[in-house]
Amino acid sequence: KYYFSYDYYHKALWFRTYKVASRTIDEKLRNDCNSKEYIYGSLMSYYPWMFKNYFKFSFVRNPKNRFVSAWKDKFLKQNYFKFSNSEYVKMKDLNVFISWVDKLDIDNCDEHLRSQNSLIDLINIDFLGRFENFAHDFKIVLDKLKIVNDSIKYRNKGITVDLDLTYDQRLRIYKIYKKDFEIFYPHHCQTLVDES
C-alpha cells in the first residue's frame, strides 16, 4: 500500500513522501489539470501493470533532515499527535521524541515518520528525485510531463532543519532509518562510522 497522487491528465503516478516538498509538488500538479483528472489518494494498494505506461516518480530526503523537519513541524509547531499537555511538553525534548519514534513500526506508522523506502515502489519507479537537489530534479519531472516550469510556490520553507545534533542523536536516528540511509544516502553511513 502506498500514498499516491494519480495524475490522469499527464499519465503520471506520484508516490508521496511526506516532509519531502509534498505540498509544493501537489500544488504544481493539481494546478495544471482539472480536479477530475487529479486524485490525491490515501493509503491504498495498486497494481503496477495497470500503470505501466504512466510516469512513476517520487522524491526522497536525507532521513536525518526529514526527521528533524517532522519533529519541528508536527511537534514543536503543533501537537499533531494530540498528546496530553504533560506528554507534549516532554516531546519537545528531541531525545524523548527519538525514543518515542524508536518504538514505532517505522514501516507502518504515520506517513510523516514512516520510512521512505516503504512509501515508494522502488521496483517500478521511473524517476527518483532528491530534496537536496529539488529545483533541478523537479524540473526533470515537469519537463517529462510537459508542465510549464514557472511560478513554483515552495511550501513550508519556514521549517529549517539546522540543528546541532549530538553524535548520539545522529546515530539513534540513523539506526531508526538505517534502510533509508543505506538505499538513498549510503555515503552518510560511512560519514557516521568515520566520526565514531
Side-chain angles (χ1 to χ4, degrees):
K1 290 186 175 181
Y2 301 98
Y3 293 93
F4 292 118
S5 281
Y6 299 91
D7 184 343
Y8 293 105
Y9 180 75
H10 300 102
K11 289 199 167 183
L13 191 64
W14 167 37
F15 292 87
R16 293 196 312 271
T17 44
Y18 294 81
K19 305 309 300 171
V20 189
S22 55
R23 287 189 187 182
T24 301
I25 297 168
D26 174 61
E27 184 171 288
K28 190 64 177 172
L29 296 178
R30 184 183 302 276
N31 289 342
D32 201 67
C33 55
N34 70 52
S35 60
K36 292 181 181 176
E37 296 170 312
Y38 181 78
I39 299 173
Y40 190 89
S42 56
L43 185 65
M44 64 186 86
S45 299
Y46 93 115
Y47 300 99
W49 61 269
M50 291 178 68
F51 297 93
K52 63 182 180 182
N53 296 324
Y54 275 53
F55 178 66
K56 295 170 285 298
F57 72 95
S58 191
F59 281 79
V60 293
R61 181 178 189 176
N62 178 300
K64 173 183 67 73
N65 294 341
R66 179 175 175 255
F67 180 84
V68 172
S69 177
W71 175 64
K72 286 186 166 188
D73 182 33
K74 300 300 174 190
F75 291 86
L76 295 188
K77 281 181 67 177
Q78 56 182 306
N79 188 359
Y80 176 79
F81 284 100
K82 310 289 185 224
F83 287 109
S84 67
N85 287 340
S86 60
E87 288 215 304
Y88 182 52
V89 169
K90 290 177 189 174
M91 285 296 168
K92 291 183 177 184
D93 179 333
L94 182 59
N95 290 312
V96 173
F97 179 66
I98 293 171
S99 296
W100 180 74
V101 174
D102 191 35
K103 294 175 186 151
L104 300 176
D105 177 353
I106 212 62
D107 294 327
N108 291 294
C109 61
D110 178 81
E111 59 270 24
H112 298 92
L113 299 172
R114 188 176 295 205
S115 65
Q116 294 171 90
N117 72 85
S118 68
L119 291 167
I120 305 166
D121 180 2
L122 294 170
I123 295 170
N124 292 295
I125 198 87
D126 295 311
F127 179 78
L128 188 65
R130 297 193 179 263
F131 181 86
E132 297 79 10
N133 200 25
F134 184 75
H136 175 271
D137 289 358
F138 194 40
K139 183 182 183 306
I140 292 172
V141 170
L142 296 177
D143 288 347
K144 176 70 177 175
L145 302 181
K146 296 179 173 52
I147 297 174
V148 178
N149 185 19
D150 64 353
S151 67
I152 296 175
K153 296 176 183 174
Y154 293 94
R155 303 298 183 187
N156 282 348
K157 270 192 100 173
I159 309 284
T160 57
V161 296
D162 51 335
L163 188 67
D164 193 17
L165 301 180
T166 66
Y167 174 78
D168 182 62
Q169 288 170 331
R170 284 183 285 121
L171 183 60
R172 293 174 70 199
I173 293 168
Y174 168 78
K175 287 179 179 177
I176 293 170
Y177 293 102
K178 186 172 187 284
K179 193 171 178 182
D180 277 353
F181 275 107
E182 289 175 345
I183 294 172
F184 305 122
Y185 295 86
H187 55 288
H188 288 272
C189 303
Q190 187 59 46
T191 301
L192 202 59
V193 169
D194 292 343
E195 290 178 359
S196 63

